[in-house]
Amino acid sequence: MSSTIWSVDEHLEDILAAVRPLEPIELQLPEAQGCVLVEDVVVEIALPPFDNSSMDGYAVRVADVEGATEEFPAVLTVIGDVAAGDAGLGDDQRVGPGEAARIMTGAPLPAGAEAVVPVEWTDGGTGEGPAATMRAHSDAPEGAAGEVRVHRPAGARAHVRARGSDVRPGDLALRAGSVIGAPQIGLLAAIGRSTVKVRPRPRVVVISTGSELVQPGEELSGGQIYDSNSFALTAAAREAGAIAYRVGAVSDDAETLRATIEDQLIRADIVVTTGGVSVGAYDVVKEALSSVGDEDEPGGGVDFRKLAMQPGKPQGFGSIGPDHTPLLALPGNPVSSYVSFELFVRPAIRTLMGLPDVNRPTARASLVTDKALSSPAGRRQFLRGTYDAEAGTVTPVGGSGSHLIAALAQADALIVLPEDVTSAEPGADTEVILLR
C-alpha cells in the first residue's frame, strides 16, 4: 500500500485519467437503449410525411361549411372513406364543392379538402342529431356514402397536422452525446432509422469478499452477516447506466478471489470489488491483487492507498488482465462502499459511456441540525442527508458510522464537510451531492 495520503480529488483524477470511453458500435434500436449517441442524427424524411387528420371526422372544403349551425347545417355528399394507411381517396378522386370524405385520425388529407370537421360536429351520416362517435366501417358501411350534416364551420387547416410540422428533412433529430431513452428510440424509428452508432453500455462486474458473508434468504449462523454490498453496488451500477453482473460473495482466500476475477474479465469493462482492502490479516483483495502484474502498461497493476476521507479511507485502483481492465477496490463497510462507489466508480462508468458530465449534481444548502457536526481534521467527510430543494436546506440522517446502512436508505444527498472543517454549526452553508 502506498504510504502517501491521497486526496479525494487526486484519487478520482488518477482513475479518470486511466479510463477511456468505449469504442463506438452500430446497434439495432432495442439494443441501443441506455447508450450514448456518438454522431448527430439528421432527419431524412418529413414527419409527419404527409398532411393528415388529427381527428375522426370529415374532410371538407372551408367554403362548404361556412356559417353552418345545428339549426341550419351544411349538407354534404359523402364520396368515400380515408383510413390510416390509405394513400387517399383513389386515382383522380378529390373532394369537390358540396362534397366530403369520411376520414380517420392519422389518415392523409384527400386532395381538394382544406380542413377536417370532427365527427362530433356532424350527424355522422345518420340524419339525426350530433354524433357522439364515428361508427365502425363494418357496422355502418353506408357511412362512407350518402349525406352528412355539418353543424359547425371549420377554418382552413383545422384539425390537420401539416407535413413536416414535427421535423423536416435536414433537421437535427438528436445530437451526439444524447442518451438513448424511450422517446429517442421512438423518434429514430419514426424517421426510419433501424440502427444507430453509440458507445455501448459498460459491463461492470461486482464482487464482494468476506467469509462472513451469506446470501440473503439463507440462514445466518454465528459471526455471519448478509451480503448487502454486492446487491447495492450492482443496482448502483445499473442506475449509472451500466450492464451490471453480481458475483456471489467470495471467501477470504486469495487464490479463489484471483481465479474468480480472472474468470470474470471476459465480460467486464470494469471490475469492482468490495471488502478486503484495509490492513487486517484477512484482507484478501490486497493480498490477491497486489502482485497482479500489468507490466506492459505503465502504471499497471493495482495500487492500494489511503485517502483523506471519511468514510472510505482505504481504496484500491489499477488495471488487470490482458485488456488492462480497470479495477476499483472499495472498502467493505456498507456506507464506505456506497459512498466510494458514488465518488469514484460512477464517474468511471460515465466516462466509459462517453458522457461529458460524469459527476452527480451538487448544490449549496443550509445545514439543519440541533448541534454542531464534528469532522476529523484533514479529511473530507461525507455524511448522509435529506435535501429540501425548496427550502434550500439539508438535514443529516443517522450518524457518521460507516456501518449504518439504514440511514443510507433514507438519504437522498451526501453532505460534504471539507478537509479544513472540524465543526459545522447549525445553519452553516454546506455543499451537498444530490443522489436522486
Side-chain angles (χ1 to χ4, degrees), residues 88-241:
L89 281 172
D91 294 342
D92 301 327
Q93 194 174 12
R94 58 189 294 116
V95 175
E99 295 178 340
R102 200 167 70 142
I103 192 167
M104 312 306 150
T105 302
L109 189 71
E114 300 166 329
V116 173
V117 289
V119 66
E120 295 88 351
W121 296 6
T122 77
D123 67 351
T126 65
E128 301 170 0
T133 185
M134 183 84 75
R135 290 189 295 171
H137 180 73
S138 58
D139 291 339
E142 75 283 356
E147 293 180 337
V148 64
R149 286 165 174 75
V150 179
H151 305 141
R152 289 175 60 177
R157 312 293 292 177
H159 307 296
V160 174
R161 295 184 288 218
R163 178 183 184 273
S165 56
D166 194 348
V167 291
R168 297 177 179 274
D171 284 353
L172 180 65
L174 294 174
R175 193 176 299 280
S178 303
V179 178
I180 304 296
Q184 290 75 29
I185 287 176
L187 173 57
L188 290 165
I191 62 175
R193 288 289 296 264
S194 63
T195 65
V196 68
K197 196 171 186 179
V198 296
R199 295 192 194 277
R201 293 168 63 199
R203 300 164 302 161
V204 178
V205 171
V206 178
I207 305 172
S208 57
T209 67
S211 297
E212 77 280 12
L213 298 178
V214 174
Q215 296 304 297
E218 298 178 7
E219 287 291 327
L220 290 178
S221 58
Q224 293 182 324
I225 60 172
Y226 287 120
D227 171 22
S228 64
N229 284 354
S230 68
F231 286 91
L233 298 189
T234 301
R238 288 182 182 134
E239 286 182 358

Side-chain angles (χ1 to χ4, degrees), residues 61 81 319 329 418:
R61 290 157 46 97
D81 258 6
S319 60

Side-chain angles (χ1 to χ4, degrees), residues 291-337:
S291 60
V292 172
D294 225 1
E295 291 82 3
D296 56 338
E297 183 80 6
V302 179
D303 180 37
F304 292 88
R305 50 188 67 155
K306 296 176 183 176
L307 267 61
M309 65 181 285
Q310 181 180 331
K313 180 180 177 182
Q315 300 282 338
F317 171 66
S319 60
I320 58 173
D323 296 323
H324 314 297
T325 304
L327 182 142
L328 283 85
L330 311 183
N333 281 321
V335 175
S336 302
S337 172

